[in-house]
Amino acid sequence: MYIATLVILGSLFPSCLPAFVERSDFCIETDPTLLIDIGRRVVIPSEKDLKCAITATTLTAKEKASLVETLCKDHGTTTMKHSFHHYFKLRNGELSGRGVQQDICEENANAMLAWVPYSTMMQHYAAELNPKERLSYIAKATNLDREKTELCHFSHTDLVNGVADKLFTCVVMIFEDNFYDVDDNINVLVELQPLVYQLRNITYLPWRNVTNSYKMLLGNGVLKNPSTQRKPIYGSVNYAFVEKIRLNTSSIYNEGYHLDKLPLLLEHRGAVLDLDEAGEGGMDVQKQAYFGRTMDPHSDVRVQVIGQWVDQHREFGADVYEYYGHGLARFKLPITGARLTFVRIDNTEPVFEAAESSNLAKASLFRDMDSAPVRLSVNGSMEQITEWEADEEEESSFYPWFVISCLLIGIVLIAVVYGVVRVYHKRNKQKQKYELANTNNTPASA
């Protein structure tokens, strides 16, 4: 008996709703914006500009170094030491909070920082801000004529009131001896926050704990050996099931990793599985089970493939990536000792059927072939019985009774012969005693 299983296809479970949806009109650019591109966009907006209502352009390594140098180093002025300029935080294009420049200095600008045009911030986010606050925000200004870019800060009031004329001012950082207006291409500093965590490069540890559940019928098949020799015959059955994954989220969001409670994406079977808030998800899996056995010539047998459901508990290590949307992801940290449970069909086994004696038809004599009786073959098909087969079966059924009758008659004959011999022997013995007594009495009378 042989059996094997082959994975055919793994796909996302369609009924599993995604834990997040990327905002289509929020775009992220990773290439720096050149001066020539800024001039072109002012005249003729590109197709991408028309599609993306909000575009965030990430900072280059050189821009981050300049930002840290300007905001965090001592330049000999008391203005920068006591400054508490702010920046915005966006998640999937939505305003999620604000940070201060000290956060940038403490993290050495390790966050995913980006630039968003001032006009975009005023159009999409100004209505969410409290007009009574008195804050200032970090930005950069680019003068096309002078081909110069500098860090500056502007007031919260200008953004809330929608100041977009010559009254707007963005004061240069450090010495604050110059300023820019809205015609100088003002871009506001924002921090992009991740949408989800991706668990990549999964490595399963040796530890596992398997608990068997119920069994179920996966499919039926037939093995046939049409040749005249006894040989092994093989077959296969396709089957499908929904594999469920239950991730122990407490093993991910523990104090040692300092991860926010975001949705999780898990790499599994060559696909990316979207888990819900409880860490559960599912996949449609299609497999093929192979089986076989050695069969007699000109025989066939039916087979049922039975699947065993199991709860398989595993430990794994993975690399955690922060996903910000539109294909932008960044490595966060490695984790180990995380746990999950697979609920799936782990193995299969074939069950071969055999014909039962109660299914065999009784033979009888007949003349008309159309009304000839039939009998069940080993594979369950119906076969007609010919006359010579019926005679042969009748003779074969008479033979046992003949043998039994002969044995009984032989036993009776043996018993009769034994009785006659015993009676004759007893009479002969009594006669000898009588003759011996007569012989002893004759001399005495003389």
Side-chain angles (χ1 to χ4, degrees), residues 223-225 230-231 233 293-297 299-301:
L223 293 179
K224 296 183 179 181
N225 182 14
R230 179 181 174 87
K231 61 175 61 176
I233 304 296
R293 66 178 296 178
T294 302
M295 299 184 61
D296 295 330
S299 64
D300 54 47
V301 63

Side-chain angles (χ1 to χ4, degrees), residues 264-303:
L264 297 172
L265 297 178
L266 177 69
E267 286 186 353
H268 182 58
R269 295 187 184 274
V272 178
L273 183 62
D274 186 5
L275 305 180
D276 59 16
E277 295 180 355
E280 297 184 358
M283 296 183 69
D284 287 333
V285 179
Q286 295 183 359
K287 287 188 176 182
Q288 191 173 29
Y290 291 95
F291 50 87
R293 66 178 296 178
T294 302
M295 299 184 61
D296 295 330
H298 301 294
S299 64
D300 54 47
V301 63
R302 295 183 180 181
V303 59

